[in-house]
Amino acid sequence: MAWVFSLSAECGTKQFEAQQFAQYFNEISWVLSNGRHSQCRAEIFQDIEENWWCRVCPSGISEIGIDTPESAYLTTEIGIFLYQSLRFAPPFRYALVGMEVDEFRTYSELIEEPALVFPGLVLAEAVWQATGASSVFRSFSLGYVWKPYEGEVYRPLLASPDLKNKLDELLSVGKILLVETSPPTI
């Protein structure tokens, strides 16, 4: 199964706005700190509420998730590049960069559950006002606020089945010892 690192932006009810957003990102590329090039490719789609989304997928990153500290570094670097480009993008309602962020919230879910704030979430000011204008958000660009991006994280227990098995074994031994050493109940 492929893990997709992307920028997903909800652009509202007009297909044309999502197309403009996609066209903007399709023209963007970067040179990464490791010397490799990363080119954006964008596509649009509709969600179950018939709102238009744009998914921007940069090239040059792993499709098996963040499996090393180096891949965490590179995806974070690309994430920062995506947010820098987002500051000058055509209009959108809200956006998020990360692993598997497609349709992370429909518009009605976002409005109905404003406490669900993700690091890196960018909101148009009108959407921010509709969600209650939480103070966790800061200015992002003209007309937008965000909860600052925190980068991507390498988690060895998720990336390595061997380490996960060793932890599971340790946990099962701990349960056995706990049962064997528990004082008798009267």
Side-chain angles (χ1 to χ4, degrees):
M1 178 177 98
W3 286 85
V4 179
F5 182 78
S6 65
L7 160 66
S8 288
E10 199 265 33
C11 298
T13 59
K14 297 177 184 160
Q15 181 178 5
F16 176 72
E17 290 181 355
Q19 288 170 328
Q20 282 185 313
F21 193 92
Q23 182 179 0
Y24 168 78
F25 273 97
N26 272 328
E27 298 172 2
I28 293 177
S29 65
W30 309 286
V31 176
L32 306 177
S33 60
N34 64 3
R36 285 197 253 158
H37 287 74
S38 182
Q39 173 73 45
C40 291
R41 81 181 179 317
E43 57 189 20
I44 64 170
F45 59 94
Q46 269 187 304
D47 66 16
I48 60 171
E49 294 179 355
E50 298 185 2
N51 291 310
W52 287 94
W53 287 76
C54 181
R55 176 188 311 113
V56 179
C57 296
S59 65
I61 48 179
S62 170
E63 290 187 3
I64 59 171
I66 298 171
D67 59 343
T68 65
E70 293 77 20
S71 66
Y73 182 91
L74 285 175
T75 52
T76 298
E77 181 179 23
I78 290 173
I80 291 168
F81 286 146
L82 286 166
Y83 280 114
Q84 287 172 341
S85 298
L86 185 62
R87 295 179 79 192
F88 305 103
F92 61 96
R93 292 202 293 192
Y94 56 98
L96 184 65
V97 169
M99 199 64 72
E100 296 295 317
V101 295
D102 286 353
E103 297 180 73
F104 58 93
R105 287 286 182 273
T106 62
Y107 183 75
S108 61
E109 289 172 332
L110 188 69
I111 299 301
E112 292 167 9
E113 302 175 43
L116 295 175
V117 176
F118 305 100
L121 179 62
V122 179
L123 302 174
E125 286 183 358
V127 174
W128 177 57
Q129 293 294 334
T131 63
S134 170
S135 63
V136 301
F137 287 89
R138 298 181 188 172
S139 179
F140 178 73
S141 64
L142 186 61
Y144 294 91
V145 296
W146 77 327
K147 181 169 185 201
Y149 180 56
E150 295 176 359
E152 305 307 314
V153 178
Y154 168 60
R155 296 199 166 131
L157 290 174
L158 294 178
S160 169
D162 185 48
L163 289 175
K164 178 69 174 123
N165 289 338
K166 288 177 182 178
L167 178 63
D168 289 344
E169 185 180 302
L170 176 64
L171 293 172
S172 66
V173 169
K175 287 179 187 175
I176 292 169
L177 290 175
L178 183 61
V179 169
E180 290 176 358
T181 59
S182 296
T185 56
I186 299 178

PDB file of all heavy atoms in Angstrom, residues 62-74:
ATOM      1  N   SER A  62       9.409   9.108  -0.468  1.00  0.00           N
ATOM      2  CA  SER A  62       9.020   7.719  -0.287  1.00  0.00           C
ATOM      3  C   SER A  62       7.505   7.562  -0.363  1.00  0.00           C
ATOM      4  O   SER A  62       6.762   8.419   0.105  1.00  0.00           O
ATOM      5  CB  SER A  62       9.514   7.243   1.085  1.00  0.00           C
ATOM      6  OG  SER A  62       8.964   5.992   1.400  1.00  0.00           O
ATOM      7  N   GLU A  63       7.057   6.452  -0.927  1.00  0.00           N
ATOM      8  CA  GLU A  63       5.641   6.130  -0.934  1.00  0.00           C
ATOM      9  C   GLU A  63       5.343   4.996   0.037  1.00  0.00           C
ATOM     10  O   GLU A  63       4.272   4.403  -0.005  1.00  0.00           O
ATOM     11  CB  GLU A  63       5.182   5.778  -2.346  1.00  0.00           C
ATOM     12  CG  GLU A  63       5.167   6.987  -3.260  1.00  0.00           C
ATOM     13  CD  GLU A  63       4.555   6.698  -4.616  1.00  0.00           C
ATOM     14  OE1 GLU A  63       4.074   5.569  -4.856  1.00  0.00           O
ATOM     15  OE2 GLU A  63       4.552   7.627  -5.444  1.00  0.00           O
ATOM     16  N   ILE A  64       6.299   4.716   0.925  1.00  0.00           N
ATOM     17  CA  ILE A  64       6.061   3.692   1.949  1.00  0.00           C
ATOM     18  C   ILE A  64       5.971   4.321   3.331  1.00  0.00           C
ATOM     19  O   ILE A  64       6.045   3.645   4.335  1.00  0.00           O
ATOM     20  CB  ILE A  64       7.135   2.585   1.917  1.00  0.00           C
ATOM     21  CG1 ILE A  64       8.530   3.153   2.132  1.00  0.00           C
ATOM     22  CG2 ILE A  64       7.052   1.783   0.649  1.00  0.00           C
ATOM     23  CD1 ILE A  64       9.602   2.096   2.320  1.00  0.00           C
ATOM     24  N   GLY A  65       5.811   5.626   3.366  1.00  0.00           N
ATOM     25  CA  GLY A  65       5.693   6.318   4.641  1.00  0.00           C
ATOM     26  C   GLY A  65       7.037   6.863   5.090  1.00  0.00           C
ATOM     27  O   GLY A  65       8.022   6.835   4.354  1.00  0.00           O
ATOM     28  N   ILE A  66       7.050   7.347   6.281  1.00  0.00           N
ATOM     29  CA  ILE A  66       8.274   7.913   6.845  1.00  0.00           C
ATOM     30  C   ILE A  66       8.973   6.783   7.587  1.00  0.00           C
ATOM     31  O   ILE A  66       8.648   6.467   8.729  1.00  0.00           O
ATOM     32  CB  ILE A  66       7.944   9.117   7.746  1.00  0.00           C
ATOM     33  CG1 ILE A  66       7.274  10.186   6.885  1.00  0.00           C
ATOM     34  CG2 ILE A  66       9.190   9.649   8.424  1.00  0.00           C
ATOM     35  CD1 ILE A  66       6.705  11.342   7.631  1.00  0.00           C
ATOM     36  N   ASP A  67       9.924   6.166   6.881  1.00  0.00           N
ATOM     37  CA  ASP A  67      10.552   4.956   7.392  1.00  0.00           C
ATOM     38  C   ASP A  67      11.984   5.155   7.878  1.00  0.00           C
ATOM     39  O   ASP A  67      12.623   4.199   8.325  1.00  0.00           O
ATOM     40  CB  ASP A  67      10.491   3.849   6.351  1.00  0.00           C
ATOM     41  CG  ASP A  67      11.188   4.224   5.055  1.00  0.00           C
ATOM     42  OD1 ASP A  67      11.445   5.423   4.821  1.00  0.00           O
ATOM     43  OD2 ASP A  67      11.496   3.304   4.263  1.00  0.00           O
ATOM     44  N   THR A  68      12.502   6.371   7.803  1.00  0.00           N
ATOM     45  CA  THR A  68      13.845   6.675   8.297  1.00  0.00           C
ATOM     46  C   THR A  68      13.863   8.126   8.782  1.00  0.00           C
ATOM     47  O   THR A  68      13.012   8.927   8.376  1.00  0.00           O
ATOM     48  CB  THR A  68      14.917   6.538   7.187  1.00  0.00           C
ATOM     49  OG1 THR A  68      14.667   7.538   6.183  1.00  0.00           O
ATOM     50  CG2 THR A  68      14.933   5.148   6.570  1.00  0.00           C
ATOM     51  N   PRO A  69      14.833   8.470   9.612  1.00  0.00           N
ATOM     52  CA  PRO A  69      14.966   9.889   9.985  1.00  0.00           C
ATOM     53  C   PRO A  69      15.194  10.778   8.757  1.00  0.00           C
ATOM     54  O   PRO A  69      14.705  11.910   8.706  1.00  0.00           O
ATOM     55  CB  PRO A  69      16.180   9.908  10.911  1.00  0.00           C
ATOM     56  CG  PRO A  69      16.249   8.533  11.480  1.00  0.00           C
ATOM     57  CD  PRO A  69      15.763   7.625  10.369  1.00  0.00           C
ATOM     58  N   GLU A  70      15.893  10.257   7.759  1.00  0.00           N
ATOM     59  CA  GLU A  70      16.156  11.030   6.549  1.00  0.00           C
ATOM     60  C   GLU A  70      14.871  11.320   5.782  1.00  0.00           C
ATOM     61  O   GLU A  70      14.685  12.417   5.265  1.00  0.00           O
ATOM     62  CB  GLU A  70      17.158  10.304   5.642  1.00  0.00           C
ATOM     63  CG  GLU A  70      18.560  10.185   6.218  1.00  0.00           C
ATOM     64  CD  GLU A  70      18.701   9.089   7.290  1.00  0.00           C
ATOM     65  OE1 GLU A  70      17.860   8.157   7.370  1.00  0.00           O
ATOM     66  OE2 GLU A  70      19.654   9.183   8.071  1.00  0.00           O
ATOM     67  N   SER A  71      13.975  10.331   5.702  1.00  0.00           N
ATOM     68  CA  SER A  71      12.715  10.577   4.995  1.00  0.00           C
ATOM     69  C   SER A  71      11.844  11.565   5.769  1.00  0.00           C
ATOM     70  O   SER A  71      11.127  12.367   5.168  1.00  0.00           O
ATOM     71  CB  SER A  71      11.966   9.275   4.692  1.00  0.00           C
ATOM     72  OG  SER A  71      11.540   8.634   5.860  1.00  0.00           O
ATOM     73  N   ALA A  72      11.913  11.543   7.107  1.00  0.00           N
ATOM     74  CA  ALA A  72      11.191  12.547   7.905  1.00  0.00           C
ATOM     75  C   ALA A  72      11.727  13.940   7.601  1.00  0.00           C
ATOM     76  O   ALA A  72      10.957  14.897   7.452  1.00  0.00           O
ATOM     77  CB  ALA A  72      11.314  12.238   9.396  1.00  0.00           C
ATOM     78  N   TYR A  73      13.048  14.044   7.491  1.00  0.00           N
ATOM     79  CA  TYR A  73      13.672  15.338   7.181  1.00  0.00           C
ATOM     80  C   TYR A  73      13.231  15.832   5.803  1.00  0.00           C
ATOM     81  O   TYR A  73      12.819  16.993   5.647  1.00  0.00           O
ATOM     82  CB  TYR A  73      15.199  15.217   7.243  1.00  0.00           C
ATOM     83  CG  TYR A  73      15.905  16.522   6.976  1.00  0.00           C
ATOM     84  CD1 TYR A  73      16.233  17.382   8.020  1.00  0.00           C
ATOM     85  CD2 TYR A  73      16.225  16.916   5.683  1.00  0.00           C
ATOM     86  CE1 TYR A  73      16.864  18.596   7.777  1.00  0.00           C
ATOM     87  CE2 TYR A  73      16.856  18.121   5.418  1.00  0.00           C
ATOM     88  CZ  TYR A  73      17.180  18.952   6.476  1.00  0.00           C
ATOM     89  OH  TYR A  73      17.789  20.160   6.223  1.00  0.00           O
ATOM     90  N   LEU A  74      13.308  14.963   4.788  1.00  0.00           N
ATOM     91  CA  LEU A  74      12.958  15.376   3.424  1.00  0.00           C
ATOM     92  C   LEU A  74      11.474  15.721   3.283  1.00  0.00           C
ATOM     93  O   LEU A  74      11.131  16.701   2.614  1.00  0.00           O
ATOM     94  CB  LEU A  74      13.335  14.297   2.415  1.00  0.00           C
ATOM     95  CG  LEU A  74      14.817  14.174   2.104  1.00  0.00           C
ATOM     96  CD1 LEU A  74      15.076  12.989   1.181  1.00  0.00           C
ATOM     97  CD2 LEU A  74      15.352  15.453   1.483  1.00  0.00           C
TER      98      LEU A  74
END
